[in-house]
Amino acid sequence: SDPQKHGGIRKFVDYAVVTRVKGLKEFSVRRRYSNFVALREALLAEFPGCPIAMLPPKSIRLSLTSSFVGDRAKGLEIFLDCILFNPILAKSNYL
C-alpha cells in the first residue's frame, strides 16, 4: 500500500511492502509494479502447476489517477496475501 507517484516525463508509481513478524522489527521496502510481475514469473517457474494469483491489470496507457493507483494497491496486497497464505508458495526463496 502507500502508493507514491514519481518522475517527470517517465512517471511511475511504487508501493510499500511491509513485513511484520510477531515479536520482531517491522521491515518496509518500496517496489514497482514490474517487481511484482517478476515475482509472479519467478514463482511460476519455481512451482510449475501450482496456481498463483493473478496480478491486477496493467494499464495500456500509464494511468496515474488516484482511483487506478488505489485499486492497483489493493490488488497487489491481495496478490501478496494469496502467496503468503499458501504453504507451498510461502517457502519460496524469492520472498
Side-chain angles (χ1 to χ4, degrees):
S1 63
D2 183 33
Q4 292 182 358
K5 299 176 186 179
H6 301 275
I9 295 173
R10 303 189 101 197
K11 296 179 184 181
F12 68 93
V13 177
D14 65 14
Y15 304 85
V17 177
V18 180
T19 303
R20 293 181 189 98
V21 179
K22 190 174 180 179
L24 298 175
K25 186 178 177 179
E26 179 178 291
F27 299 94
S28 179
V29 295
R30 300 205 64 84
R31 296 290 183 251
R32 294 174 68 167
Y33 182 81
S34 60
N35 298 121
F36 292 94
V37 171
L39 173 60
R40 187 170 190 281
E41 290 173 357
L43 292 172
L44 287 168
E46 185 177 8
F47 301 103
C50 186
I52 298 174
M54 298 297 294
L55 288 165
K58 182 173 177 108
S59 176
I60 294 173
R61 287 185 274 147
L62 184 59
S63 177
L64 297 182
T65 64
S66 295
S67 174
F68 175 81
V69 171
D71 289 346
R72 180 182 272 180
K74 289 176 192 170
L76 292 172
E77 186 173 344
I78 291 167
F79 168 75
L80 289 175
D81 285 346
C82 288
I83 291 169
L84 295 174
F85 290 118
N86 180 312
I88 296 169
L89 298 177
K91 295 178 183 177
S92 174
N93 292 325
Y94 293 105
L95 300 178

